[in-house]
Amino acid sequence: MLILVVMNSCSSTKTSIEKVVTNEELYRPNFHFTPKKGWMNDPNGMFFYKGLYHLYFQHYPDDNVWGPMHWGHAISKDMMSWKEEKIALYPDEKGYIFSGSAVVDINNTSGFGSLKNPPIVAMFTYHDDVKAKAGAIDFQSQAIAYSLDEGMTWTKYKNNPVIKNPNIKDFRDPKMTWDAIHNQWIMVLAADVETKIYRSSNLIDWELASGFGKNLGAHGAPWECPDFFPIKVEGSTEMKWVLLQSINPGGPNGGSATQYFVGDFDGKTFTLDNSFTQDLKQFGALWLDYGKDNYAGVTWSNVPDADGRNLFIGWMSNWEYANKVPTKNWRSAMTIPRELKLINTDGHYRIVSQPVKELDKYISKTIKKELLSIDKTTVIVDRSSVDMSRLDIRFTMNGLKDDNYDFILSNAANNAVHFGINKKEKYFYMDRKNASLTTFSDAFANKISKAPISSDFNSIEVRILIDKTSIEVFYDNGKTVMTEIYFSDKPMESFSIAKANSNFELKNVTINQLNN
């Protein structure tokens, strides 16, 4: 609702009209995907086919909190501008439609289509809520559906489930991949505190190949939403396999987060690389994103080999407060789509990520500042020159000492998000406790989020995406990423850098304003 406040005085005929911004205007993101209405969580069933990226998602259309799960659906030519389609999969007598994946069965191995019209095959978890509430263990099983019209409508397989529950309570989130190296379909499945790896020749009949991870990485809660794929090491011909594995709770800053593992796969068993085993002993877990709001992310299937990209998107929220955030018509957004790469630095493998290049198509205005010498608190950009709710900011920081470098996104209502680099105590951080609306959850801003700094530097590349209710920060070309949401009373108006104890520089500052 729009409210007009009219103020009159007997000494003046002047009228002041103040616009009160609606919930929709204040919080609906400009360039991140959100459903038109209702609840959304995990991305599901993502594939590319005939020029379109398909994004399905956990969806409850009848309320803005979690409920009986459906698969929502949206399509895009570039992963940035999305058109929401009708609901793809509805719950039925077998249960809710939990998370899963989809692949393009080019060779019609399933027999559902033809070589001329290959089927799209989706696998999802049936969650039988009646059995779950009755105390049963085997209330989750894996089922498939197929589409013969390029993912727009779906037929559930008549002999579902294709994988029955082996008496494991948390048994869900199948992610299928074509393994061209071993000429087979493979699928990873979250099974309590480990990942199960299955293989198939036809997407219908699945054989359990192996298990992974019982005593590796972060534990303390069931694993969820795995992904598993081969990836070439940047600058080499070396091929490794990466397993993404989400966990909730158990993230580095509380609640939900996604860890990863790097190793080798022989077609049946995934084995950690020796150096990565040592890294886990040192760090406990390696995280795809150290912010609190990037969870359950997976990659698109069927991306052309010529493209050579591993394209990823995550749910931009956290189960600690997702049902309580102060949006009304809808709840939750997705992260910016990202390209994942694997690098090897001094014998240590790390996943790095950056926003997809398609984002650059939406630049509507650019401001460049070749050099900013910082010897006092300095405004980098404000609303007088750009729309502060749609920015892609890039720069290099030079001359860094063992000091704290604090960035501030703020407005005149004294709302502020602080984030930056504490080189003295060796961590990156995000602090949203003064971003205004935080009382909806004790867990939302009860502590500063931190990511470790594991090597010394005096110069670093920084990229920052700012939307109405989110900040995504990519440090050191995406080696460390922090994603967090916030909810301010009014739109943010200024982006500044605080004075440090020593002078330093921002070089090659590029401020790109984006279209919707």
Side-chain angles (χ1 to χ4, degrees), residues 17 21-22 113 244 275-276 326 355 402 439 443 501:
I17 299 178
V21 182
T22 65
L244 306 183
S275 68
F276 204 85
D402 286 344
T439 56
N501 291 317

Side-chain angles (χ1 to χ4, degrees), residues 5-130:
V5 180
V6 181
M7 302 175 64
N8 290 308
S9 71
C10 57
S11 60
S12 173
T13 59
K14 187 176 181 179
T15 300
S16 173
I17 299 178
E18 179 183 350
K19 177 184 176 183
V20 177
V21 182
T22 65
N23 183 276
E24 185 83 4
E25 290 172 313
L26 187 57
Y27 297 143
R28 175 80 74 174
N30 282 317
F31 58 95
H32 290 81
F33 176 76
T34 55
K36 293 176 182 176
K37 69 179 185 68
W39 166 269
M40 178 180 75
N41 56 290
D42 308 352
N44 295 156
M46 295 149 51
F47 68 92
F48 175 82
Y49 191 54
K50 292 189 176 180
L52 288 177
Y53 293 90
H54 291 256
L55 169 65
Y56 301 84
F57 50 91
Q58 290 286 276
H59 186 40
Y60 183 40
D62 298 330
D63 205 343
N64 65 358
V65 294
W66 189 93
M69 285 292 97
H70 303 54
W71 271 23
H73 182 206
I75 58 173
S76 173
K77 293 181 179 179
D78 58 10
M79 297 174 285
M80 297 303 307
S81 293
W82 292 97
K83 178 188 177 188
E84 191 168 349
E85 300 288 345
K86 64 182 181 180
I87 291 171
L89 292 172
Y90 286 82
D92 57 35
E93 70 281 355
K94 290 185 175 71
Y96 300 165
I97 311 296
F98 271 23
S99 289
S101 56
V103 293
V104 182
D105 186 11
I106 292 292
N107 294 317
N108 193 34
T109 62
S110 63
F112 291 137
S114 65
L115 291 176
K116 188 175 180 180
N117 183 31
I120 314 297
V121 179
M123 180 180 279
F124 57 91
T125 296
Y126 263 131
H127 176 92
D128 189 331
D129 200 50
V130 175

Side-chain angles (χ1 to χ4, degrees), residues 229-232 299-300 303 308-312 338-341:
F229 51 88
I231 185 170
K232 189 173 288 188
T299 57
W300 268 275
V303 175
R309 294 190 293 168
N310 292 279
L311 302 175
F312 166 98
R338 304 172 185 185
E339 181 179 1
L340 305 184
K341 295 182 179 181

Side-chain angles (χ1 to χ4, degrees), residues 380-418:
I380 298 171
V381 70
D382 63 25
R383 67 173 183 172
S384 67
S385 54
V386 293
D387 181 343
M388 292 297 301
S389 69
R390 57 182 84 217
L391 295 181
D392 179 356
I393 302 173
R394 314 176 200 195
F395 50 80
T396 302
M397 300 180 72
N398 287 335
L400 304 184
K401 312 294 185 186
D402 286 344
D403 206 342
N404 185 48
Y405 301 92
D406 188 45
F407 292 99
I408 309 124
L409 182 66
S410 61
N411 61 24
N414 293 319
N415 303 151
V417 178
H418 291 255

Side-chain angles (χ1 to χ4, degrees), residues 64-273:
N64 65 358
V65 294
W66 189 93
M69 285 292 97
H70 303 54
W71 271 23
H73 182 206
I75 58 173
S76 173
K77 293 181 179 179
D78 58 10
M79 297 174 285
M80 297 303 307
S81 293
W82 292 97
K83 178 188 177 188
E84 191 168 349
E85 300 288 345
K86 64 182 181 180
I87 291 171
L89 292 172
Y90 286 82
D92 57 35
E93 70 281 355
K94 290 185 175 71
Y96 300 165
I97 311 296
F98 271 23
S99 289
S101 56
V103 293
V104 182
D105 186 11
I106 292 292
N107 294 317
N108 193 34
T109 62
S110 63
F112 291 137
S114 65
L115 291 176
K116 188 175 180 180
N117 183 31
I120 314 297
V121 179
M123 180 180 279
F124 57 91
T125 296
Y126 263 131
H127 176 92
D128 189 331
D129 200 50
V130 175
K131 289 181 72 173
K133 288 177 178 177
I137 296 294
D138 60 342
F139 54 84
Q140 293 183 337
S141 60
Q142 315 318 313
I144 59 175
Y146 60 92
S147 171
L148 298 179
D149 58 1
E150 301 173 12
M152 303 309 292
T153 62
W154 294 85
T155 301
K156 292 171 183 170
Y157 180 51
K158 62 182 180 180
N159 294 323
N160 278 331
V162 295
I163 302 177
K164 295 181 179 179
N165 189 295
N167 208 38
I168 297 174
K169 182 179 178 182
D170 297 291
F171 185 69
R172 56 181 176 265
D173 310 335
K175 180 61 164 71
M176 300 181 293
T177 303
W178 172 248
D179 175 10
I181 298 169
H182 304 102
N183 198 36
Q184 61 181 353
W185 294 106
I186 57 173
M187 182 268 288
V188 284
L189 187 69
D192 192 19
V193 295
E194 69 173 333
T195 305
K196 299 284 191 187
I197 301 175
Y198 291 79
R199 55 187 183 174
S200 174
S201 62
N202 61 8
L203 295 167
I204 300 170
D205 303 300
W206 292 91
E207 170 198 2
L208 177 61
S210 61
F212 172 84
K214 269 190 177 179
N215 300 306
L216 295 168
H219 283 282
W223 281 7
E224 295 186 311
C225 299
D227 195 358
F228 189 48
F229 51 88
I231 185 170
K232 189 173 288 188
V233 180
E234 288 293 296
S236 78
T237 58
E238 183 183 17
M239 187 72 74
K240 289 290 182 181
W241 284 74
V242 167
L243 173 69
L244 306 183
Q245 186 60 75
S246 292
I247 185 172
N248 172 65
N253 288 295
S256 318
T258 301
Q259 59 188 316
Y260 66 90
F261 303 88
V262 179
D264 300 290
F265 181 59
D266 63 6
K268 186 174 181 179
T269 303
F270 177 53
T271 306
L272 273 188
D273 183 86

